[in-house]
């Protein structure tokens, strides 16, 4: 079985500052990694995903993440955040390349961008 | 791009009634659909996995007789919460995946269920 750990439940940051949201995973097999954003009372929006290839993945809204196999990490970064980035962020992992296995989610990180 | 439509977005019902939530893949065939439940300020917990034309596979601790899942076609899955109680109040989210696997995996916008 796989698991996902998001160590930071909340990350306060000032507007235009850089931010890193940490994600570590555990799995005995190859994984596919995802970051989702959830705004209040809404569903999930995919920020980016790593399936194969380059370990540096660029997503929407200026976010990027780097897959580090040796450290089993997939940290999310943004060089300069905006107030509108305030939301809940979920890291998720899948071990199936057919998609027939559900994603396993981390506990989430609340990003709070302050003016 | 591909969209998964989930309906209704919000429902309030009386205790003891049943509520049906629909999840549709609008422009692709979803070979598998997943149903998740999310309590306030918590993560998503998988409830069940459904493959078109076969019975859903429920996660441990999820009552299959209470949460009825039907995946009758490649574009539609439904979750029916039977005899709902206040403790069933939660945010329910579906996701659908196409034959391309994780390259084609999308989430619905969620349904907020409030049982009075």
């Amino acid at each position: 079985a796989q698991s996902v750990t998001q160590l930071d439940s909340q990350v306060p940051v000032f507007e235009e500052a850089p931010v890193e949201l940490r994600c570590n995973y555990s799995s005995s097999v190859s994984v596919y990694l995802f970051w989702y954003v959830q705004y209040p009372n809404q569903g999930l929006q995919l920020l980016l995903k790593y399936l194969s290839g380059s370990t540096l993945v660029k997503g929407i809204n200026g976010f990027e993440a780097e897959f580090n196999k040796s450290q089993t990490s997939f940290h999310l970064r943004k060089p300069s955040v905006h107030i509108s980035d305030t939301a809940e962020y979920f890291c998720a992992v899948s071990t199936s390349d057919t998609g027939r296995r559900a994603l396993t989610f981390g506990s989430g990180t609340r990003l709070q961008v302050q003016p | 791009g591909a969209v998964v439509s989930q309906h209704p977005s919000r429902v309030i019902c009386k205790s003891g009634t049943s509520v049906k939530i629909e999840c549709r893949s609008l422009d692709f065939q979803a070979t598998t659909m997943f149903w998740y439940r999310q309590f306030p300020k918590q993560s998503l917990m998988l409830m069940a996995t459904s493959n078109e034309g076969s019975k859903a596979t429920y996660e441990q601790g999820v009552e299959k007789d209470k949460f009825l899942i039907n995946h009758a076609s490649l574009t539609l899955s439904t979750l029916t919460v039977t005899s709902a109680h206040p403790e069933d109040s939660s945010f329910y989210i579906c996701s659908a995946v196409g034959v391309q696997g994780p390259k084609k995996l999308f989430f619905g916008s969620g349904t907020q269920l409030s049982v009075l």
Side-chain angles (χ1 to χ4, degrees):
Chain A
Q2 62 275 7
S3 66
V4 179
T5 301
Q6 290 180 249
L7 288 171
D8 306 305
S9 60
Q10 291 189 69
V11 174
V13 64
F14 287 107
E15 193 173 18
E16 297 184 6
V19 71
E20 178 180 84
L21 305 184
R22 297 181 293 170
C23 172
N24 288 88
Y25 69 92
S26 172
S27 175
S28 57
V29 298
S30 297
V31 296
Y32 305 90
L33 296 154
F34 306 78
W35 273 101
Y36 288 89
V37 60
Q38 185 180 36
Y39 298 100
N41 301 313
Q42 294 187 28
L44 300 180
Q45 181 180 5
L46 178 67
L47 280 176
L48 48 79
K49 60 187 173 187
Y50 171 79
L51 301 180
S52 64
S54 174
T55 56
L56 182 62
V57 182
K58 293 188 182 297
I60 63 170
N61 300 342
F63 284 94
E64 65 178 33
E66 185 159 18
F67 171 54
N68 189 318
K69 189 174 181 179
S70 62
Q71 296 186 5
T72 60
S73 67
F74 191 55
H75 301 332
L76 181 70
R77 302 185 183 96
K78 186 169 183 177
S80 176
V81 295
H82 301 289
I83 296 287
S84 59
D85 292 324
T86 294
E88 191 81 21
Y89 291 79
F90 292 98
C91 181
V93 62
S94 169
T95 58
S96 167
D97 58 358
T98 68
R100 288 193 171 239
R101 292 182 185 269
L103 299 182
T104 299
F105 286 86
S107 54
T109 297
R110 172 79 177 161
L111 177 63
Q112 295 176 301
V113 182
Q114 303 164 0
Chain B
V3 176
V4 172
S5 173
Q6 187 172 340
H7 180 80
S9 59
R10 192 173 191 88
V11 57
I12 301 172
C13 68
K14 291 183 178 180
S15 185
T17 60
S18 295
V19 175
K20 179 184 282 189
I21 303 169
E22 291 189 348
C23 182
R24 293 180 184 272
S25 56
L26 296 184
D27 61 357
F28 70 100
Q29 292 185 327
T31 51
T32 305
M33 287 189 174
F34 306 97
W35 287 95
Y36 296 84
R37 183 174 184 178
Q38 184 182 31
F39 290 106
K41 300 187 186 302
Q42 294 188 27
S43 188
L44 284 76
M45 300 301 294
L46 179 67
M47 297 175 67
T49 301
S50 71
N51 295 303
E52 186 266 339
S54 59
K55 289 184 178 181
T57 302
Y58 290 81
E59 295 300 297
Q60 193 172 11
V62 177
E63 299 176 59
K64 60 180 67 177
D65 294 329
K66 181 168 188 61
F67 298 100
L68 301 178
I69 292 172
N70 184 283
H71 192 165
S73 75
L74 283 172
T75 59
L76 174 64
S77 177
T78 60
L79 167 67
T80 301
V81 183
T82 62
S83 187
H85 288 97
E87 58 265 30
D88 298 324
S89 298
S90 186
F91 194 61
Y92 294 86
I93 305 179
C94 71
S95 74
V97 60
V99 294
Q100 298 94 329
K103 295 180 182 179
K104 198 105 174 170
L105 190 158
F106 302 94
F107 281 84
S109 54
T111 298
Q112 181 64 54
L113 171 63
S114 299
V115 185
L116 304 178

